[in-house]
Amino acid sequence: MTQPYTSHSLVRVRYAETDAQGVVYYANFLVWVEVGRVDYLRAAGLSYRDIEKHGWGIMIVEASCRYHAPARFDDELQIDTWCDEIKRSSFRLRYTVTRTEDELLLAEGHTTQVFLNLKEQRPAALPDELRAILERTAAPS
Amino acid sequence: MTQPYTSHSLVRVRYAETDAQGVVYYANFLVWVEVGRVDYLRAAGLSYRDIEKHGWGIMIVEASCRYHAPARFDDELQIDTWCDEIKRSSFRLRYTVTRTEDELLLAEGHTTQVFLNLKEQRPAALPDELRAILERTAAPS
Amino acid sequence: MTQPYTSHSLVRVRYAETDAQGVVYYANFLVWVEVGRVDYLRAAGLSYRDIEKHGWGIMIVEASCRYHAPARFDDELQIDTWCDEIKRSSFRLRYTVTRTEDELLLAEGHTTQVFLNLKEQRPAALPDELRAILERTAAPS
Amino acid sequence: MTQPYTSHSLVRVRYAETDAQGVVYYANFLVWVEVGRVDYLRAAGLSYRDIEKHGWGIMIVEASCRYHAPARFDDELQIDTWCDEIKRSSFRLRYTVTRTEDELLLAEGHTTQVFLNLKEQRPAALPDELRAILERTAAPS
């Protein structure tokens, strides 16, 4: 087995993402981990566009986040994404969100997503290619 | 001709909609006028869901907003919506956003939207029913 | 002890909250549970505005959601909110999001939030009034 | 006078920004032009953070957008930003949003923003430095 693969994504905090407490509104971390998820899958050879071309969808069935420190407007953040669990039609991704300036961990979390046959609106087995890549690169949980 | 028809919608400002200046982020007014637009069309007998069932879409081609005073968290706001221009495949809606507590005008604006045949991705003539309702209820611009 | 208190909030799904899969984007459930949280605290006698007047803030330290079925544009949803854990400076709220039309459970989750002294940016003991209300109305977890 | 200065910003469309019509929700263009605005001001030597440190704010008083073609998930977009009007306490920025892949113009618009003394919540004269830069680099409108 090769080393667990982790993708790295950068975002800069937008004013739109802040709230009246002067820091980022908590739901926006889920938007950023989506950026991480898309980049992870792209690096694994599977673009969201390809997914949709095949009539598949990715449905989040669980999301969780722990917040350690607030993000602020104009912060540059790094999202690290890796896989730590693979099942028949779903897999779990883990994320950390770190402020690049001082490498402070702001938040960490995970999402579990199911592969979906969009026409039938039913779970579908992970495509073999994706499964192979996930299995080769996932971290033991 | 009957009187120009105006629909009234209420929203309460969410924390998610504020930004680090302590007031509502400007783009959210366009989300609220969508609430007004949906209610207006529903009152005119045309639900968005019906629109999509018919394979139509509504595409915004122009949006504009003037901001007079900030909205704050937990404010209750009224969106008034009326039509002031009807063309072959598009119509213009006008909006005001008012704080209900003291009837202060916070913002006003308009959107112009085109009726779309989604399959062909081309403008479609306004459905006769909608045109009839718009013509009967629109304010002269 | 009185019965566990549950607050009920209603939202209607906005077009802005949907995504290209035709259903609501997953992060928006966290926005809706904020609506539930605000209503819960208001019912408990504590408005967010009062909180901020006192120089307090509420910082989410953990959020979690399990998704059972998608929400769609124009669905009316009910958010039920109750408290099931109280600590010195934090408490946990639990939520369910149900489609009112058929009472289908769409999602459930929780948030843990810390009371914050905003000036010092440090956790503060829960205000006595809030603690009393939470203790009187919380469900055993 | 030097040439009109235009700043260039890049964003990649997030899934969160799409809606059930399969394209980007119209209000998100105002979020992207904020990215353009922040970059423009930074290039002009004035970061939003500095603005806030000085007790100033920037309040949008007018925003307008014309939409020519939809943006889709994962598109890379370029926002071009320039100034074409300067007044005592306000200035106007113009924007274009272009798909980088084929340089197709998706949208164009403007915002007018007022410099605000946040404590007094009143318009303030543009800082001399900013005025000098804007005047040196603005395009004739």
Coordinates of all heavy atoms in Angstrom, one line a residue, chain B residues 20-21 25-27 30-31 33-34 37 52 57-67 72 111 118 121, chain D residues 20-21 25-27 30-31 33-34 37 52 57-67 72 111 118 121:
Chain B
A20 N -19.3 41.0 8.8 CA -18.5 41.6 9.9 C -18.7 43.0 10.2 O -18.2 43.6 11.2 CB -17.0 41.3 9.6
Q21 N -19.4 43.7 9.4 CA -19.8 45.1 9.7 C -21.0 45.2 10.6 O -21.5 46.3 11.0 CB -20.0 46.0 8.4 CG -18.7 46.4 7.8 CD -18.9 47.5 6.7 OE1 -20.0 48.1 6.6 NE2 -17.9 47.7 5.9
Y25 N -25.2 41.5 4.7 CA -24.4 41.5 3.5 C -25.2 41.8 2.3 O -26.3 41.3 2.1 CB -23.7 40.1 3.4 CG -22.7 40.1 2.2 CD1 -21.5 40.8 2.3 CD2 -23.0 39.3 1.1 CE1 -20.6 40.7 1.3 CE2 -22.1 39.3 0.1 CZ -20.9 40.0 0.2 OH -20.0 39.9 -0.9
Y26 N -24.7 42.7 1.4 CA -25.6 43.3 0.4 C -26.2 42.3 -0.6 O -27.3 42.5 -1.1 CB -24.8 44.4 -0.3 CG -23.8 44.0 -1.4 CD1 -23.9 44.5 -2.7 CD2 -22.8 43.1 -1.1 CE1 -22.9 44.2 -3.6 CE2 -21.9 42.8 -2.1 CZ -21.9 43.3 -3.3 OH -21.0 43.0 -4.3
A27 N -25.5 41.2 -0.8 CA -26.0 40.2 -1.8 C -27.3 39.6 -1.3 O -28.1 39.1 -2.2 CB -24.9 39.2 -2.2
L30 N -30.8 40.2 -2.8 CA -31.2 39.5 -4.0 C -31.9 38.2 -3.6 O -32.7 37.7 -4.4 CB -30.1 39.3 -4.9 CG -29.5 40.6 -5.6 CD1 -28.5 40.2 -6.7 CD2 -30.6 41.5 -6.1
V31 N -31.5 37.6 -2.5 CA -32.1 36.4 -2.0 C -33.5 36.7 -1.5 O -34.5 36.0 -1.8 CB -31.3 35.7 -0.9 CG1 -32.0 34.5 -0.4 CG2 -29.9 35.3 -1.5
V33 N -35.5 39.2 -2.5 CA -36.4 39.6 -3.5 C -36.8 38.3 -4.3 O -37.9 38.3 -4.9 CB -35.9 40.7 -4.5 CG1 -35.5 42.0 -3.7 CG2 -34.7 40.3 -5.4
E34 N -36.0 37.3 -4.2 CA -36.4 36.0 -4.8 C -37.6 35.5 -4.0 O -38.6 35.0 -4.6 CB -35.3 35.0 -4.8 CG -35.7 33.6 -5.2 CD -35.2 32.5 -4.3 OE1 -33.9 32.4 -4.2 OE2 -36.0 31.9 -3.6
R37 N -40.4 37.4 -5.3 CA -40.7 37.0 -6.7 C -41.5 35.7 -6.7 O -42.5 35.5 -7.4 CB -39.4 36.8 -7.5 CG -39.5 36.5 -8.9 CD -38.2 36.8 -9.6 NE -37.1 36.0 -9.2 CZ -36.0 36.4 -8.5 NH1 -35.9 37.7 -8.2 NH2 -35.0 35.6 -8.2
E52 N -41.2 24.5 -13.6 CA -40.2 23.5 -13.9 C -40.9 22.2 -14.5 O -40.3 21.6 -15.3 CB -39.4 23.2 -12.6 CG -38.7 24.5 -12.2 CD -37.6 24.3 -11.2 OE1 -37.6 23.3 -10.5 OE2 -36.8 25.2 -11.1
G57 N -37.9 27.5 -17.5 CA -37.1 28.1 -16.4 C -37.2 29.6 -16.4 O -37.8 30.1 -17.4
I58 N -36.8 30.2 -15.4 CA -36.8 31.7 -15.3 C -35.4 32.1 -15.1 O -34.8 31.7 -14.1 CB -37.7 32.2 -14.2 CG1 -39.2 32.0 -14.5 CG2 -37.4 33.6 -13.9 CD1 -40.2 32.6 -13.5
M59 N -34.9 32.8 -16.1 CA -33.5 33.3 -16.0 C -33.4 34.8 -15.8 O -34.0 35.5 -16.5 CB -32.8 32.9 -17.3 CG -31.3 33.2 -17.3 SD -30.5 32.7 -18.8 CE -31.3 33.8 -20.0
I60 N -32.8 35.2 -14.7 CA -32.6 36.6 -14.4 C -31.6 37.1 -15.4 O -30.5 36.6 -15.6 CB -32.1 36.8 -13.0 CG1 -32.9 36.1 -12.0 CG2 -31.9 38.3 -12.7 CD1 -34.3 36.6 -11.7
V61 N -31.9 38.2 -16.1 CA -31.0 38.8 -17.0 C -30.5 40.2 -16.5 O -29.5 40.7 -17.0 CB -31.6 39.0 -18.5 CG1 -31.8 37.6 -19.1 CG2 -32.9 39.8 -18.4
E62 N -31.2 40.7 -15.5 CA -30.7 42.0 -15.0 C -31.2 42.1 -13.6 O -32.4 41.7 -13.3 CB -31.3 43.2 -15.8 CG -30.6 44.5 -15.5 CD -31.1 45.6 -16.4 OE1 -31.3 45.4 -17.6 OE2 -31.4 46.7 -15.8
A63 N -30.4 42.6 -12.7 CA -30.8 42.8 -11.3 C -30.1 44.1 -10.8 O -29.0 44.4 -11.2 CB -30.4 41.6 -10.4
S64 N -30.9 44.8 -10.0 CA -30.3 46.1 -9.5 C -30.9 46.4 -8.2 O -32.1 46.0 -7.9 CB -30.7 47.2 -10.5 OG -30.4 48.4 -10.1
C65 N -30.1 47.0 -7.3 CA -30.6 47.3 -6.0 C -30.0 48.6 -5.5 O -28.8 48.9 -5.8 CB -30.1 46.2 -5.0 SG -31.0 46.2 -3.5
R66 N -30.8 49.5 -4.9 CA -30.3 50.6 -4.2 C -30.5 50.5 -2.7 O -31.6 50.1 -2.3 CB -30.9 51.9 -4.7 CG -30.3 52.3 -6.1 CD -30.6 53.8 -6.4 NE -32.1 54.0 -6.5 CZ -32.7 55.1 -6.3 NH1 -32.0 56.2 -5.8 NH2 -34.0 55.2 -6.4
Y67 N -29.5 50.7 -1.9 CA -29.5 50.5 -0.5 C -29.7 51.8 0.3 O -28.8 52.7 0.1 CB -28.3 49.7 -0.1 CG -28.0 48.4 -0.8 CD1 -27.3 48.4 -2.0 CD2 -28.5 47.2 -0.3 CE1 -27.1 47.2 -2.7 CE2 -28.3 46.0 -1.0 CZ -27.6 46.0 -2.2 OH -27.4 44.9 -2.8
R72 N -30.6 44.6 10.0 CA -29.8 44.0 11.0 C -30.4 42.6 11.5 O -31.5 42.4 11.2 CB -29.7 44.9 12.3 CG -28.9 46.2 12.0 CD -29.0 47.2 13.1 NE -28.6 48.5 12.6 CZ -27.3 48.8 12.5 NH1 -26.3 47.9 12.8 NH2 -26.9 50.0 11.9
T111 N -35.7 43.2 -10.9 CA -35.1 42.2 -11.7 C -35.8 42.1 -13.0 O -37.1 42.2 -13.0 CB -35.1 40.8 -11.0 OG1 -36.5 40.4 -10.7 CG2 -34.3 40.8 -9.7
L118 N -36.2 25.2 -21.2 CA -35.0 24.7 -20.6 C -34.3 23.7 -21.5 O -33.1 23.6 -21.6 CB -35.2 24.0 -19.2 CG -35.3 24.9 -18.0 CD1 -35.5 24.1 -16.8 CD2 -34.1 25.8 -18.0
Q121 N -32.8 25.7 -24.2 CA -32.1 26.8 -23.6 C -32.3 28.0 -24.4 O -31.3 28.8 -24.7 CB -30.6 26.4 -23.5 CG -30.2 25.4 -22.4 CD -30.3 26.1 -21.0 OE1 -29.8 27.2 -20.8 NE2 -30.9 25.4 -20.0
Chain D
A20 N -30.9 24.9 -8.4 CA -31.6 23.7 -9.0 C -31.8 23.8 -10.5 O -32.2 22.9 -11.2 CB -33.0 23.5 -8.3
Q21 N -31.5 25.0 -11.1 CA -31.5 25.1 -12.6 C -30.2 24.6 -13.2 O -30.0 24.6 -14.4 CB -31.8 26.5 -13.1 CG -33.3 26.8 -13.0 CD -33.7 28.1 -13.8 OE1 -32.9 28.6 -14.5 NE2 -34.9 28.6 -13.5
Y25 N -26.5 30.5 -9.0 CA -27.6 31.4 -8.5 C -27.2 32.9 -8.7 O -26.0 33.2 -8.4 CB -27.9 31.1 -7.0 CG -29.0 31.8 -6.5 CD1 -30.3 31.5 -6.8 CD2 -28.8 32.8 -5.5 CE1 -31.4 32.2 -6.3 CE2 -29.9 33.5 -5.0 CZ -31.2 33.2 -5.4 OH -32.2 33.9 -4.8
Y26 N -28.1 33.7 -9.1 CA -27.7 35.0 -9.6 C -27.1 35.9 -8.5 O -26.3 36.8 -8.8 CB -28.9 35.7 -10.3 CG -29.9 36.3 -9.3 CD1 -30.4 37.7 -9.5 CD2 -30.5 35.6 -8.3 CE1 -31.3 38.2 -8.7 CE2 -31.5 36.2 -7.5 CZ -31.9 37.5 -7.7 OH -32.9 38.0 -6.9
A27 N -27.5 35.8 -7.3 CA -26.9 36.6 -6.2 C -25.4 36.4 -6.0 O -24.7 37.3 -5.5 CB -27.7 36.4 -4.9
L30 N -22.7 38.9 -7.0 CA -22.3 40.0 -6.1 C -21.3 39.6 -5.1 O -20.5 40.4 -4.7 CB -23.6 40.5 -5.4 CG -24.6 41.2 -6.3 CD1 -25.7 41.9 -5.4 CD2 -24.0 42.3 -7.2
V31 N -21.2 38.3 -4.8 CA -20.1 37.8 -3.9 C -18.8 37.8 -4.7 O -17.8 38.2 -4.2 CB -20.5 36.4 -3.4 CG1 -19.3 35.8 -2.6 CG2 -21.8 36.4 -2.6
V33 N -18.0 39.8 -7.3 CA -17.5 41.1 -7.5 C -16.9 41.7 -6.2 O -16.0 42.6 -6.3 CB -18.5 42.1 -8.2 CG1 -19.0 41.5 -9.5 CG2 -19.6 42.5 -7.2
E34 N -17.3 41.2 -5.1 CA -16.7 41.6 -3.8 C -15.2 41.1 -3.8 O -14.3 41.8 -3.4 CB -17.4 41.0 -2.6 CG -16.8 41.3 -1.3 CD -16.7 40.0 -0.4 OE1 -17.8 39.6 0.0 OE2 -15.6 39.5 -0.2
R37 N -13.5 43.5 -5.8 CA -13.4 44.8 -5.1 C -12.3 44.8 -4.1 O -11.5 45.8 -4.0 CB -14.7 45.1 -4.4 CG -14.9 46.4 -3.8 CD -16.4 46.8 -3.6 NE -17.1 45.9 -2.7 CZ -18.1 45.0 -3.1 NH1 -18.4 44.9 -4.3 NH2 -18.7 44.2 -2.2
E52 N -10.8 48.8 8.2 CA -11.5 48.6 9.5 C -10.7 49.1 10.7 O -11.2 49.5 11.7 CB -11.9 47.1 9.6 CG -12.8 46.7 8.4 CD -13.6 45.4 8.6 OE1 -13.1 44.6 9.4 OE2 -14.6 45.3 7.9
G57 N -15.7 52.1 7.3 CA -16.4 51.0 6.7 C -16.7 51.3 5.2 O -16.6 52.5 4.8
I58 N -17.0 50.3 4.4 CA -17.4 50.6 3.1 C -18.8 50.1 2.9 O -19.1 48.9 3.2 CB -16.4 49.9 2.1 CG1 -15.1 50.7 2.0 CG2 -17.1 49.8 0.7 CD1 -14.2 50.1 1.0
M59 N -19.7 51.0 2.6 CA -21.1 50.6 2.5 C -21.5 50.7 1.1 O -21.4 51.7 0.4 CB -22.0 51.6 3.4 CG -23.4 51.1 3.5 SD -24.4 52.3 4.6 CE -24.1 53.8 3.7
I60 N -22.0 49.6 0.6 CA -22.6 49.6 -0.8 C -23.9 50.3 -0.8 O -24.8 50.0 0.0 CB -22.8 48.1 -1.3 CG1 -21.5 47.2 -1.1 CG2 -23.3 48.1 -2.7 CD1 -20.4 47.6 -2.0
V61 N -24.0 51.3 -1.7 CA -25.3 52.0 -1.8 C -26.0 51.7 -3.1 O -27.2 51.9 -3.2 CB -25.1 53.5 -1.7 CG1 -24.7 53.9 -0.2 CG2 -24.1 54.1 -2.7
E62 N -25.3 51.1 -4.0 CA -26.0 50.7 -5.3 C -25.2 49.5 -5.9 O -24.0 49.5 -5.9 CB -26.0 51.8 -6.2 CG -27.0 51.6 -7.4 CD -27.0 52.8 -8.3 OE1 -27.1 53.9 -7.8 OE2 -27.0 52.6 -9.5
A63 N -26.0 48.5 -6.4 CA -25.3 47.4 -7.0 C -26.2 47.0 -8.2 O -27.5 47.1 -8.1 CB -25.2 46.2 -6.1
S64 N -25.6 46.6 -9.3 CA -26.3 46.3 -10.5 C -25.6 45.3 -11.3 O -24.4 45.3 -11.3 CB -26.5 47.6 -11.3 OG -27.1 47.3 -12.6
C65 N -26.3 44.4 -11.9 CA -25.7 43.3 -12.7 C -26.5 43.0 -13.9 O -27.7 42.9 -13.8 CB -25.5 42.1 -11.8 SG -24.4 40.9 -12.5
R66 N -25.9 42.8 -15.1 CA -26.5 42.2 -16.2 C -25.9 40.9 -16.5 O -24.7 40.8 -16.6 CB -26.4 43.2 -17.4 CG -27.4 44.3 -17.3 CD -27.6 45.0 -18.6 NE -26.3 45.6 -19.1 CZ -26.0 45.8 -20.4 NH1 -26.9 45.4 -21.3 NH2 -24.9 46.3 -20.7
Y67 N -26.7 39.9 -16.8 CA -26.3 38.5 -16.9 C -26.4 38.1 -18.4 O -27.5 38.2 -19.0 CB -27.2 37.6 -16.1 CG -27.2 37.9 -14.6 CD1 -28.1 38.8 -14.1 CD2 -26.2 37.4 -13.7 CE1 -28.1 39.2 -12.7 CE2 -26.2 37.7 -12.4 CZ -27.2 38.6 -11.9 OH -27.1 38.9 -10.6
R72 N -21.3 27.9 -14.6 CA -21.6 26.5 -14.1 C -20.5 26.0 -13.1 O -19.4 26.6 -13.1 CB -21.6 25.5 -15.4 CG -22.8 25.8 -16.3 CD -22.7 25.0 -17.6 NE -23.7 25.6 -18.5 CZ -25.0 25.5 -18.5 NH1 -25.5 24.7 -17.6 NH2 -25.8 26.1 -19.4
T111 N -20.8 48.5 -8.7 CA -21.3 48.9 -7.3 C -20.8 50.3 -7.1 O -19.7 50.7 -7.5 CB -20.7 47.9 -6.3 OG1 -19.3 48.0 -6.3 CG2 -21.1 46.5 -6.5
L118 N -17.4 54.6 10.9 CA -18.3 53.6 11.5 C -18.8 54.0 12.8 O -20.0 53.8 13.2 CB -17.5 52.3 11.7 CG -17.4 51.3 10.5 CD1 -16.8 50.0 10.9 CD2 -18.8 51.1 9.8
Q121 N -21.4 56.5 12.0 CA -22.3 55.9 11.0 C -22.7 57.0 10.0 O -23.8 57.2 9.6 CB -23.5 55.3 11.7 CG -23.3 54.0 12.4 CD -23.2 52.9 11.3 OE1 -23.9 52.8 10.4 NE2 -22.1 52.0 11.5

